[in-house]
Amino acid sequence: MGPELNEGGSPAVTLSLRGHCVETAAKQEYRLLTGRYFEAGEAEAPVLEKKIGLLREFIESADFAGLRASDPRLSGEVESEVVIFFREDGAVGFAVS
């Protein structure tokens, strides 16, 4: 899902929120990418490693209850997409559309 790497070479992951919240979508994508990693070739593995690391950090650091309460798009009530990325300061950021 989404772009492999953003302009700066950092990973970016796009999550589709259709009927479930951002936490569920992030964990599903993490499992999907982890499974793909073990079957990946040399060219795809480094990109997958970066995306898996990004998702792991997002899952471990996000206040999902707060995110769900802050925006109906993040709770899954409204269909949306969330792009997760590393900000310039190294912290995980996201954008909702």
Side-chain angles (χ1 to χ4, degrees):
M1 295 181 153
E4 293 296 313
L5 299 174
N6 66 21
E7 298 121 21
S10 297
V13 177
T14 302
L15 305 174
S16 294
L17 277 56
R18 294 184 176 103
H20 52 264
C21 71
V22 65
E23 180 178 17
T24 299
K27 289 179 178 180
Q28 286 175 344
E29 185 69 6
Y30 180 85
R31 284 190 294 274
L32 176 75
L33 293 178
T34 302
R36 278 182 44 198
Y37 175 78
F38 292 107
E39 299 172 359
E42 288 183 30
E44 187 180 23
V47 172
L48 289 172
E49 286 175 3
K50 290 178 180 182
K51 293 173 87 171
I52 290 167
L54 170 63
L55 280 169
R56 183 179 56 245
E57 187 156 339
F58 179 68
I59 291 166
E60 290 175 352
S61 65
D63 172 9
F64 288 112
L67 290 174
R68 285 188 294 268
S70 72
D71 189 325
R73 297 174 297 177
L74 296 174
S75 70
E77 294 173 41
V78 176
E79 190 173 307
S80 63
E81 288 192 343
V82 176
V83 178
I84 301 169
F85 55 89
F86 282 117
R87 299 186 320 215
E88 288 184 19
D89 66 1
V92 175
F94 66 91
V96 183
S97 60

